[in-house]
Amino acid sequence: MPLPVYRLRRLLAVIAILLTLAVAGMYFYARSRATNAINRIPAKIGYGIKQTAEGFQFSKSDGKRTLFTIQASNVKEFKLNGNAELHNVSIVLYGRDSSRFDQIYGDDFAFNQKTGDVTAKGEVQIDLVANPAGLASPDQSAPKDLKSPIHLKTRDLVFNKDSGNAWTDARVEFRTPQASGWAVGVKYAGKTNTLTLASQIHIELSGPDASVIEATHGIITNDPRQIVLAGPRLSRSSGTVRADEATFYLGRENHVERVLATGDVTTELRTISSGSSGEKSTEIHGRADQAEFLLPGGEDLLRTATLSGKVHFEQVGVEDIQGEAGRVIFDFAGENQLQKVHAVDGAHLLQKMAKSSGSADKNSGPQNFDLSAPVIDFTVANGRVLKQAMTSGAARITLTQAQDNPAAAQPDQQTVVTAGKFLADFNSSGGKNHLTSVRGAPEVRIANSVQGEPDRVSTSDSVDAAFFPQGGIESITQKGNVTFSDNQPADKRMQAWANSGRYTPADHILLLTGNPRVADGGMATTANTIRINRATGQALAEGDVKSTYSELKEQPGGALLAASSPIHVTARSMTAHKPPASVATYTGNARLWQDANVIEAPSIQFDREHRSVVAEGSSAKPAQTVLVQMEKPSTNESDTQHGAKMSSLGRSSPITITAKRLSYVDSDRKVHYEGGVFAKGADFTASSRTADAYLLARSQTTSNQALSAPGKLDRMVAQGDVLIQQTNRRAQGQTLTYTAADDKFVLTGGPPSIFDAEQGKITGVSLTFFRRDDRVLVEGKGNTPVVTTTRVAR
């Protein structure tokens, strides 16, 4: 948090100047005593111009020590009006404890007996000097060392011996080794020992960072010992500080021990930093209802500064940084060097980022950072470099997407991180502080909120956030018992577990490592790594992926994936999509199976809700599935001899079908193949451009067959360049219809033809042949007769 408070060391010089005004009050008091003595002089030295005294001196004591001494080179009293003139006057005030050696001197003073006014004609010079060893030194002795005297100059000063009041409407100038300045109009009330600076208070501080303090009005009192400035304003090259009123509380030796500024305390600072991209200007604005500064021990060193009441700081520049709290306490050490900042009563630190011009996605790019806690303690190095911040109480970090327009509405999603405590580290570059990392523990919780959807929540033992040098969070890493849930209804809920999770706000990806697993509505997946998009719910698993779909209900009207037993999938990677379709895509040697039904392909997309599959392959690595062809019961005596019995549906044999692509919806019981379709049975092969395999429903199977058996082929239709090969037979055409119940092939289009090693080639409009025997039925038409070509052996 960039703060201007460390510059208060300059304010100490101002305090020293204001002390001169307090001592001036002592001077006016002592001067009233001196005037009483002067008033008695004419009665002693004659009537009219009774006498001219050269080297006149008068002292006043309390019986122990001298309080003041008045010297004049010449005193004249006028007979007609009883007035007197004093020339070359010098007054030395020692104080009741001899701790002062203040000198007041001027060329001409006039005394009016009738009004009791003593008036300085022309300039009056005042030198204020402390003499701490005065009481231990001989009476009226000057200090051995004149340390930093304060010099004041004014004119036409009027002092009334009866009221003890003094005033001038002229300008009062003052000068110290640290500062100089003036005020217009001074009034001193003798009875209350109150000094009033009427207007135009102006103080200029010396040094490399020249500063000016201005105020509209000022009051200095002796009881209590304090200085009150109205509308003070501190100006310097880097900015300004204002308040409605500032009160300086003085100690016994006129050291400022406490300063209280009240009423809309504001600061405006400007800094310019140089970097590779040129100079950058940053403005810092701050305000509070009240500011209190403590300088105990009379050392003129600031120890504590407290801002209270709606404390707010804001840095405007490359990125906006804002800080708020009910109360902020600054601890100083050494030569007014800021060491710690204690923000309490709802501390709040916000860093706003500008959205990247190249970012089109409203949910990507830089993130605004908002840290809040009941208490935040900041550690400062070298008086101005913020090094660390630590929270106390329930703390939270809120991340939102940066907006093109700072006044734009709140983004429709945000990330909230909570923990028992946060520890933030800062770094300084380019003349400004920026966050580098934040660590939180224990009981870490990260919630992604998207408008209209349940929060996506992850928990862990600890969390570490890393920041970009230009601002904004780069990553958030959770460790120890990491869990994640998207809080959807139980049948659609995604949950994940791992030893470690790394979240990057720019793309909303949570990377899980260390035995990660994810469960999503009855699906459980393990892999080497799992990535979850916390904004969309999409999951990506990589490396030795294994998924199991359980909690399935049996679907009697289905076929390949109709059982209630689990469906398993293995692959190198998996991408799980979220609603409206709960779909997962597996790539890299993907294999999906339920009981004996298996689908293999380089890529398999599985829709759990519809129990549908889309498998993608290539010529080198096609998609593959295995179906079962049911054979008719044999009627040959040779098949039943020796007591062998066949079932009512006969024997079964597998058919392996491959293609570049296959798709299947269990409720349709149809497998669609396209691109280089190739089917291989027990004693035949068939190829085509496309094929559709229709399966028997599980409800059509007999009770003595296990429901876990492979899908049973009912019929298959192949189209486009159909080629069927058996041991001694080859047929080709454009459309093939195969029915498993009677083991019959019907070939049409082309026209179709069949080549038999014994009977030669037969061509017709339609060819029907049976796989288990040599029968071939050939049909023709009038314009397309049946043609038989017989090969004759020679």
Side-chain angles (χ1 to χ4, degrees):
M1 178 187 295
L3 301 174
V5 179
Y6 67 88
R7 296 187 179 273
L8 287 172
R9 65 187 69 180
R10 290 291 179 192
L11 192 58
L12 297 177
V14 179
I15 293 168
I17 296 171
L18 295 175
L19 289 178
T20 67
L21 303 176
V23 178
M26 296 174 59
Y27 150 68
F28 291 131
Y29 176 76
R31 180 169 170 75
S32 68
R33 297 293 186 89
T35 305
N36 290 335
I38 294 171
N39 192 39
R40 293 194 296 269
I41 291 174
K44 296 180 180 181
I45 62 176
Y47 186 78
I49 303 177
K50 296 179 180 179
Q51 185 177 346
T52 298
E54 299 292 343
F56 168 79
Q57 178 175 324
F58 177 79
S59 297
K60 174 68 175 178
S61 69
D62 60 359
K64 296 179 181 179
R65 304 283 293 189
T66 300
L67 299 178
F68 62 84
T69 298
I70 302 175
Q71 290 181 330
S73 64
N74 187 284
V75 177
K76 295 181 180 180
E77 183 182 11
F78 298 94
K79 180 178 179 180
L80 295 177
N81 54 21
N83 294 341
E85 290 184 355
L86 287 77
H87 301 285
N88 299 324
V89 178
S90 174
I91 303 173
V92 180
L93 298 95
Y94 306 101
R96 292 191 176 274
D97 55 0
S98 299
S99 63
R100 306 295 306 174
F101 195 81
D102 300 330
Q103 300 179 68
I104 303 152
Y105 48 94
D107 292 336
D108 297 297
F109 288 83
F111 171 65
N112 188 318
Q113 279 192 340
K114 184 179 296 185
T115 61
D117 292 339
V118 179
T119 303
K121 296 181 178 180
E123 291 186 350
V124 176
Q125 310 286 335
I126 304 172
D127 290 328
L128 304 178
V129 180
N131 186 20
L135 192 59
S137 303
D139 192 19
Q140 303 184 40
S141 62
K144 292 182 179 180
D145 298 320
L146 297 178
K147 296 181 179 179
S148 303
I150 300 172
H151 182 75
L152 296 91
K153 180 175 70 174
T154 187
R155 62 182 302 111
D156 303 332
L157 183 69
V158 179
F159 176 77
N160 185 273
K161 70 178 184 64
D162 298 322
S163 64
N165 297 338
W167 64 90
T168 180
D169 293 331
R171 184 163 117 164
V172 179
E173 297 180 357
F174 45 84
R175 184 179 68 255
T176 74
Q178 294 82 22
S180 61
W182 67 84
V184 176
V186 177
K187 294 181 181 181
Y188 173 75
K191 292 183 179 180
T192 60
N193 289 333
T194 300
L195 183 68
T196 300
L197 306 178
S199 63
Q200 301 181 40
I201 300 173
H202 180 94
I203 304 169
E204 296 180 357
L205 305 178
S206 58
D209 187 10
S211 302
V212 175
I213 291 183
E214 296 175 313
T216 60
H217 188 73
I219 299 176
I220 304 172
T221 61
N222 189 53
D223 187 16
R225 301 174 67 83
Q226 65 184 33
I227 304 169
V228 180
L229 296 181
R233 171 191 170 100
L234 171 65
S235 301
R236 55 181 178 270
S237 60
S238 58
T240 61
V241 180
R242 297 186 183 91
D244 292 343
E245 184 177 276
T247 303
F248 300 80
Y249 296 88
L250 311 178
R252 293 184 59 186
E253 297 184 0
N254 292 329
H255 288 278
V256 175
E257 296 182 346
R258 178 174 173 243
V259 180
L260 181 64
T262 58
D264 196 23
V265 181
T266 61
T267 60
E268 295 181 4
L269 300 179
R270 295 177 298 277
T271 61
I272 298 178
S273 58
S274 299
S276 57
S277 58
E279 291 188 342
K280 298 179 181 179
S281 176
T282 301
E283 295 184 3
I284 302 172
H285 306 279
R287 76 154 308 278
D289 293 340
Q290 178 177 290
E292 181 182 38
F293 310 95
L294 299 181
L295 303 90
E299 299 177 355
D300 293 339
L301 295 176
L302 184 62
R303 289 291 175 254
T304 303
T306 302
L307 305 181
S308 57
K310 300 178 182 178
V311 183
H312 177 85
F313 286 95
E314 180 176 354
Q315 173 181 289
V316 181
V318 180
E319 67 266 359
D320 294 345
I321 297 179
Q322 298 179 13
E324 295 178 348
R327 186 160 50 99
V328 180
I329 303 168
F330 303 86
D331 292 333
F332 296 80
E335 296 294 325
N336 301 320
Q337 213 172 60
L338 181 62
Q339 283 194 331
K340 295 181 179 179
V341 180
H342 188 63
V344 299
D345 299 337
H348 182 197
L349 183 65
L350 172 63
Q351 182 183 46
K352 287 187 175 181
M353 302 297 299
K355 185 175 181 180
S356 301
S357 59
S359 177
D361 184 1
K362 68 177 181 178
N363 292 325
S364 64
Q367 297 259 331
N368 298 326
F369 173 86
D370 188 339
L371 171 63
S372 61
V375 177
I376 302 179
D377 288 304
F378 299 88
T379 303
V380 181
N382 301 324
R384 60 179 179 178
V385 179
L386 195 59
K387 296 298 293 182
Q388 200 171 71
M390 182 173 63
T391 67
S392 299
R396 61 182 282 161
I397 294 173
T398 303
L399 306 174
T400 56
Q401 292 297 329
Q403 302 291 302
D404 294 320
N405 179 9
Q410 183 75 9
D412 58 3
Q413 71 174 30
Q414 64 177 10
T415 301
V416 177
V417 186
T418 59
K421 178 182 292 186
F422 285 110
L423 184 64
D425 291 322
F426 294 80
N427 197 0
S428 179
S429 62
K432 60 187 177 184
N433 291 316
H434 59 84
L435 279 165
T436 57
S437 64
V438 174
R439 176 176 175 79
E443 299 178 358
V444 176
R445 183 179 187 270
I446 301 178
N448 288 91
S449 299
V450 179
Q451 191 173 13
E453 297 183 14
D455 288 351
R456 296 180 172 90
V457 178
S458 63
T459 60
S460 61
D461 295 337
S462 66
V463 64
D464 289 277
F467 289 74
F468 292 109
Q470 66 272 23
I473 287 186
E474 178 184 6
S475 64
I476 299 175
T477 300
Q478 293 181 261
K479 293 183 179 180
N481 300 313
V482 178
T483 66
F484 171 81
S485 174
D486 64 4
N487 288 315
Q488 294 287 340
D491 59 335
K492 298 180 180 180
R493 183 174 303 160
M494 176 185 287
Q495 295 177 287
W497 300 265
N499 295 332
S500 177
R502 185 176 185 269
Y503 174 62
T504 49
D507 55 12
H508 307 287
I509 296 299
L510 172 63
L511 172 62
L512 300 175
T513 57
N515 301 316
R517 63 189 180 96
V518 62
D520 186 1
M523 178 199 75
T525 298
T526 62
N528 294 337
T529 62
I530 296 177
R531 288 178 170 84
I532 299 175
N533 189 313
R534 299 186 62 146
T536 64
Q538 186 180 40
L540 172 63
E542 294 181 306
D544 196 18
V545 176
K546 298 176 182 178
S547 295
T548 299
Y549 295 84
S550 56
E551 302 178 10
L552 301 175
K553 293 183 179 180
E554 183 177 340
Q555 299 184 156
L560 282 180
L561 305 175
S564 60
S565 52
I567 297 174
H568 305 279
V569 188
T570 60
R572 283 200 301 266
S573 66
M574 180 272 287
T575 301
H577 306 276
K578 290 299 290 180
S582 296
V583 177
T585 301
Y586 297 83
T587 57
N589 296 326
R591 186 173 189 267
L592 181 149
W593 73 94
Q594 184 186 49
D595 299 326
N597 296 312
V598 179
I599 299 175
E600 295 178 307
S603 173
I604 294 177
Q605 184 182 84
F606 176 59
D607 184 341
R608 175 185 57 206
E609 184 176 349
H610 299 95
R611 298 200 194 185
S612 63
V613 176
V614 175
E616 301 279 356
S618 63
S619 299
K621 292 185 177 181
Q624 174 180 296
T625 187
V626 178
L627 304 178
V628 171
Q629 172 197 2
M630 300 304 300
E631 299 179 3
K632 290 179 63 177
S634 176
T635 57
N636 296 330
E637 292 184 0
S638 60
D639 293 335
T640 57
Q641 64 182 351
H642 307 300
K645 284 180 82 172
M646 304 299 296
S647 68
S648 61
L649 288 180
R651 295 175 300 178
S652 63
S653 61
I655 299 178
T656 300
I657 305 176
T658 61
K660 291 183 179 179
R661 187 177 190 274
L662 73 81
S663 58
Y664 172 75
V665 180
D666 199 58
S667 59
D668 296 341
R669 302 192 308 280
K670 181 180 77 171
V671 186
H672 176 70
Y673 303 89
E674 57 184 77
V677 181
F678 184 81
K680 180 177 176 59
D683 55 3
F684 80 96
T685 62
S687 62
S688 63
R689 289 201 298 268
T690 66
D692 290 309
Y694 298 89
L695 308 179
L696 291 172
R698 284 185 179 271
S699 59
Q700 295 178 265
T701 61
T702 59
S703 59
N704 61 343
Q705 285 187 311
L707 292 176
S708 61
K712 298 168 181 60
L713 181 64
D714 179 28
R715 60 191 176 91
M716 184 171 68
V717 178
Q719 293 183 327
D721 301 330
V722 177
L723 175 63
I724 305 170
Q725 296 190 83
Q726 291 178 293
T727 303
N728 297 313
R729 181 185 295 171
R730 184 180 67 189
Q732 59 185 23
Q734 293 300 314
T735 301
L736 168 68
T737 302
Y738 170 73
T739 54
D742 49 11
D743 208 10
K744 179 179 67 175
F745 295 87
V746 178
L747 188 62
T748 60
S753 64
I754 185 170
F755 175 81
D756 187 281
E758 296 180 358
Q759 300 181 8
K761 182 178 180 181
I762 303 174
T763 303
V765 174
S766 172
L767 299 177
T768 302
F769 58 95
F770 299 87
R771 188 162 62 94
R772 288 300 179 181
D773 54 41
D774 295 333
R775 287 184 300 152
V776 178
L777 301 179
V778 183
E779 295 183 8
K781 293 183 178 179
N783 56 353
T784 309
V786 176
V787 177
T788 301
T789 303
T790 303
R791 184 173 59 185
V792 179
R794 295 182 181 181

